Amino acid sequence: MTAASGRLRVGVLVSGRGSNLQALLDASARGDYPAEVVVVISDRERAAALDRARAAGVEALYVNPKDFADREAFDLALVGELTARGVSLVCTAGFMRILSPAFTRAFAGRAMNIHPSLLPAFPGLHVQRQALDHGVKVAGATVHFLGDGAVDTGPIILQASVPVHPDDTEDTLAERILTEEHRLFPEAVRLFAEGRLSIVGRRVVVRGAR
Ligand code: GRF
């Protein structure tokens, strides 16, 4: 399908396994889904996510950060690749680099990230470890717009919670959260594509919320 189909053109930034990318690709494959992934860009050449894109017939692009003088130059190259493909929404799905204002301003209100905690709790890395160490009884996942401040702080679009079990390890908790991530991210993209999200201050208003 092309832009002529009227579907929202989505670019996905990845670094690793790509299970969230897969959820977006699977959603895109459904004809009645209002968005389609048109390009997947990785900062790591061997990211499994690139193989998932190729398998789905979606353009897979490796952009090597070492080819650029600094973070801004790399980020502007990403902006260029995405813009050249008519991307209207960017999803970061396990993208392990912090995006500078050069990127976040270019896609302000048009870039979203998935994070495996109930933000604002536990931003950053090793999130399940943080949750277990803190002893929380409920964990979860968050989809949020990228802000141009600190990581994992932008306006929250959707969240889902899961219980934390006494015998959980990082892996078992991560698995339970991932199940929610794979549902939440395509849903957030769908809401965006349907024009049902607006950012009011730091809140995201979801119109026609069910
Ligand atoms: C996910 O837990 C995501 O929330 C976090 O990194 C992980 C990426 O997993 N930002 P995958 O590459 O989508 O499988």
Side-chain angles (χ1 to χ4, degrees):
M1 291 265 225
T2 66
S5 67
R7 300 210 290 169
L8 181 85
R9 294 174 70 80
V10 177
V12 186
L13 304 185
V14 296
S15 298
R17 172 181 58 183
S19 69
N20 279 288
L21 167 68
Q22 191 65 55
L24 295 171
L25 292 170
D26 291 348
S28 291
R30 295 195 291 272
D32 61 349
Y33 190 70
E36 62 176 322
V37 178
V38 296
V39 64
V40 174
I41 305 179
S42 175
D43 63 329
R44 296 185 189 169
E45 192 169 16
R46 293 180 202 290
L50 289 176
D51 297 327
R52 292 182 189 264
R54 290 184 197 106
V58 171
E59 184 184 7
L61 199 63
Y62 163 55
V63 183
N64 185 351
K66 294 202 177 92
D67 289 344
F68 300 89
D70 54 29
R71 183 192 298 276
E72 279 71 25
F74 173 77
D75 288 0
L76 285 173
L78 296 185
V79 171
E81 299 290 1
L82 293 160
T83 306
R85 290 161 180 80
V87 164
S88 297
L89 174 69
V90 178
C91 294
T92 58
F95 186 61
M96 298 306 288
R97 294 174 63 89
I98 295 171
L99 289 161
S100 63
F103 186 95
T104 53
R105 287 190 189 142
F107 281 97
R110 299 189 299 132
M112 48 177 77
N113 178 50
I114 182 102
H115 183 78
S117 81
L118 292 173
L119 290 171
F122 314 130
L125 297 174
H126 309 297
V127 176
Q128 295 82 10
R129 179 80 266 147
Q130 290 188 58
L132 291 173
D133 286 350
H134 200 91
V136 293
K137 306 299 187 203
V138 175
T142 302
V143 184
H144 63 93
F145 282 113
L146 289 189
D148 58 5
V151 286
D152 304 327
T153 56
I156 291 169
I157 302 166
L158 292 175
Q159 293 186 301
S161 63
V162 301
V164 178
H165 298 157
D167 58 351
D168 265 334
T169 64
E170 278 181 75
D171 287 346
T172 59
L173 181 56
E175 190 61 33
R176 196 172 307 121
I177 294 170
L178 263 183
T179 303
E180 294 303 313
E181 293 184 43
H182 298 162
R183 184 177 62 77
L184 227 48
F185 214 0
E187 175 65 6
V189 170
R190 189 174 69 77
L191 291 170
F192 184 94
E194 291 174 350
R196 290 164 62 189
L197 301 180
S198 44
I199 302 174
V200 182
R202 72 146 294 115
R203 292 178 54 226
V204 176
V205 177
V206 184
R207 274 184 299 281
R210 286 178 264 212

